[in-house]
Amino acid sequence: MSKMPWIMTQEWHETLFLHWPISPETLGKHIPSELELDLFDGMAWISLILFRVKGNRPRFIPPVPGTSSFVELNVRTYVTYKGRSGVYFFSLDADHPLIVKLTTLGNFLPYRYAKMKLLKRYKNTITFKSKRIHKNTFPETLVTTFELTSRILEKGPLEIWLTERYHLWTKTKGYLFRVDIRHSPWILQDVTGTIHQNTMASFIKNTFQKEPPIAHYSKMKKARFFPPVKER
């Protein structure tokens, strides 16, 4: 973990994890050459993570009105670099055009603008809809309805491997950067539900989008982000 002070904090609310195993040969050509796929029992994994951001702000600065809350949908896989394990994002969709503009400065992270709805209906049912409308990008879509159970999941090796990730890598202008993230361990709940439409990660053709995922839910998590580090 970085020894520098953290620079930004967020809260992640109503987080839904959707996970699919996928062959390493399918994913390997889509990550930077410096990274290696992190495998579990010989398989790579791709995950969709959707959540509502609240309290988004830099350190020592109160939340800026209009920029502290938005909905986000990430597509990621699991990678290693020189003994560290973490994640690599294929895309990060958000429903806030200003946030997307700020986070794409210098092409540091692949944020894209999308129309999104995250609605809590009845007591334990949540509906999520997202359609990317970012200029010159494929309109990837996810529509899902899921119902929470009251049971707290006892995490096994796979659940820990998929969720307890504290580094992300991104490559821009020919350089590989790492961002460290700090938060407490995830408290997960089982969920049941239906994916009505899924065209996310459209660069992967007809492999995982129609298969049922492993799904987990977490009510809230507070995270802190550290300054980017250029890898050598």
Side-chain angles (χ1 to χ4, degrees), residues 46-214:
I46 193 164
S47 299
L48 309 184
I49 319 294
L50 63 94
F51 52 96
R52 186 184 301 279
V53 174
K54 293 185 179 181
N56 178 59
R57 64 174 180 86
R59 190 172 188 174
F60 303 125
I61 299 176
V64 178
T67 65
S68 64
S69 181
F70 51 94
V71 181
E72 188 167 321
L73 170 61
N74 299 336
V75 182
R76 75 187 193 188
T77 193
Y78 303 89
V79 295
T80 63
Y81 182 80
K82 293 186 177 180
R84 287 189 172 99
S85 60
V87 301
Y88 175 78
F89 290 107
F90 295 114
S91 63
L92 305 96
D93 291 358
D95 69 343
H96 196 303
L98 179 57
I99 291 294
V100 171
K101 186 174 182 178
L102 291 173
T103 52
T104 52
L105 290 174
N107 294 317
F108 189 73
L109 285 171
Y111 268 89
R112 303 292 183 263
Y113 179 51
K115 287 187 176 180
M116 294 182 175
K117 290 184 179 180
L118 181 56
L119 305 173
K120 195 164 188 177
R121 299 182 176 181
Y122 307 109
K123 190 173 182 179
N124 292 312
T125 300
I126 296 177
T127 297
F128 176 80
K129 298 179 181 180
S130 176
K131 183 174 182 179
R132 184 184 299 159
I133 57 173
H134 198 92
K135 186 178 179 180
N136 298 326
T137 62
F138 185 79
E140 294 184 347
T141 300
L142 178 67
V143 181
T144 181
T145 302
F146 55 99
E147 185 173 354
L148 314 181
T149 68
S150 58
R151 188 174 76 89
I152 299 300
L153 181 67
E154 184 176 345
K155 293 185 293 187
L158 178 59
E159 289 80 14
I160 294 172
W161 186 89
L162 287 168
T163 60
E164 301 302 338
R165 298 281 170 158
Y166 300 95
H167 311 286
L168 71 85
W169 283 274
T170 185
K171 189 173 183 180
T172 181
K173 298 180 180 179
Y175 296 101
L176 187 71
F177 290 88
R178 186 187 80 248
V179 176
D180 297 334
I181 307 163
R182 180 181 295 163
H183 58 73
S184 61
W186 288 96
I187 298 175
L188 302 175
Q189 293 174 242
D190 279 329
V191 296
T192 60
T194 302
I195 295 178
H196 306 286
Q197 187 176 0
N198 179 15
T199 62
M200 303 303 297
S202 56
F203 60 90
I204 303 173
K205 304 296 184 182
N206 301 318
T207 55
F208 78 94
Q209 288 93 339
K210 295 182 181 180
E211 299 297 323
I214 293 176

